[in-house]
């Protein structure tokens, strides 16, 4: 399930003109409880004008708690003509990038955990094309977007677009 959250701090969500984070937290907890095997995907923006160290720390805590299996984290960049581009308290690029990198480390940690949990399971995989380095095909699961997320390497060659059941034997470095 893909839910683009952008942030979790109430102060930042208000500045971004996004819905409250309280409802989001409750919804995500309910989804996790009620849907076995749920894979959550989201996107976050860090370094939005006015984002404090406390706002960022709240996002770190939230991401650690939720353990999103898939997420993108982007450093805010001003777009001409948007209200945020002229807001006060623009965050320096080096701080935005450091915050983004910290959050991406959390995402990668959650991805590694999730990948290790798949070992021994059989997953449906759509074939994206021929493999490399001794693999016959490369594909992805329903949880993975092409060219963005994790891939599944298969020893056999399958036609592009085919759906196959693949047993996971190992996890390569993420």
């Amino acid at each position: 399930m893909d839910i683009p959250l952008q942030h979790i701090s109430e102060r930042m969500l208000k500045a971004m003109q996004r819905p409250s984070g309280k409802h989001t937290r409750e919804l995500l907890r309910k989804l996790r409880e009620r849907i076995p095997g749920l894979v959550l995907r989201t996107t976050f923006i860090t370094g939005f004008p006015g984002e404090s160290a406390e706002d960022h720390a709240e996002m770190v805590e939230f991401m650690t708690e939720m353990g999103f299996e898939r997420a993108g984290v982007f450093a805010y960049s001003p777009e001409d003509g948007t209200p945020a581009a002229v807001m006060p308290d623009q965050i320096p690029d080096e701080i935005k990038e450091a915050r983004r990198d910290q959050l991406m480390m959390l995402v990668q940690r959650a991805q590694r955990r999730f990948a290790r949990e798949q070992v021994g399971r059989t997953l449906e995989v759509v074939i994206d094309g021929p493999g490399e380095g001794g693999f016959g095909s490369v594909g992805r699961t329903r949880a993975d977007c092409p060219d963005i997320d994790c891939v599944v390497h298969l020893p056999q060659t399958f036609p592009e677009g085919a759906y196959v059941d693949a047993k996971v034997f190992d996890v390569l470095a993420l």
Side-chain angles (χ1 to χ4, degrees):
M1 182 175 293
D2 191 335
I3 305 174
L5 300 176
Q6 308 309 315
H7 217 289
I8 198 60
S9 158
E10 291 296 338
R11 204 173 69 75
M12 287 291 88
L13 290 169
K14 184 175 181 182
M16 293 175 167
Q17 299 180 1
R18 303 281 299 175
S20 168
K22 181 179 183 208
H23 173 74
T24 298
R25 289 173 189 270
E26 292 170 9
L27 173 65
L28 294 177
R29 285 188 188 104
K30 284 180 185 177
L31 289 170
R32 286 264 193 231
E33 289 171 7
R34 296 177 184 177
I35 304 174
L38 175 66
V39 175
L40 284 175
R41 165 189 301 285
T42 192
T43 51
F44 290 107
I45 297 173
T46 190
F48 192 80
E51 181 185 59
S52 68
E54 291 80 16
D55 296 321
H56 177 72
E58 185 175 349
M59 203 145 64
V60 168
E61 181 181 323
F62 176 69
M63 288 182 68
T64 301
E65 173 192 345
M66 290 307 303
F68 294 98
E69 290 82 6
R70 302 289 183 263
V73 181
F74 305 93
Y76 167 78
S77 59
E79 295 289 329
D80 288 338
T82 63
V86 294
M87 289 175 87
D89 300 321
Q90 297 286 325
I91 307 297
D93 287 345
E94 58 273 6
I95 293 175
K96 290 189 287 192
E97 291 165 10
R99 289 176 179 177
R100 178 204 57 213
D101 293 348
Q102 181 186 19
L103 295 176
M104 280 307 301
M105 284 182 12
L106 295 173
V107 170
Q108 291 167 349
R109 184 180 305 147
Q111 286 179 334
R112 282 191 296 272
R113 175 195 48 76
F114 178 71
R116 285 189 300 267
E117 290 171 357
Q118 304 315 301
V119 173
R121 297 183 64 200
T122 299
L123 306 174
E124 184 180 53
V125 174
V126 62
I127 304 301
D128 287 327
E132 298 177 359
F135 293 104
S137 299
V138 66
R140 58 194 156 81
T141 71
R142 290 180 184 272
D144 299 305
C145 286
D147 303 321
I148 295 173
D149 292 325
C150 302
V151 298
V152 178
H153 297 282
L154 298 106
Q156 303 93 340
T157 300
F158 296 100
E160 187 173 331
Y163 284 84
V164 300
D165 289 332
K167 185 169 184 176
V168 179
F169 288 99
D170 200 1
V171 175
L172 301 175
L174 294 171

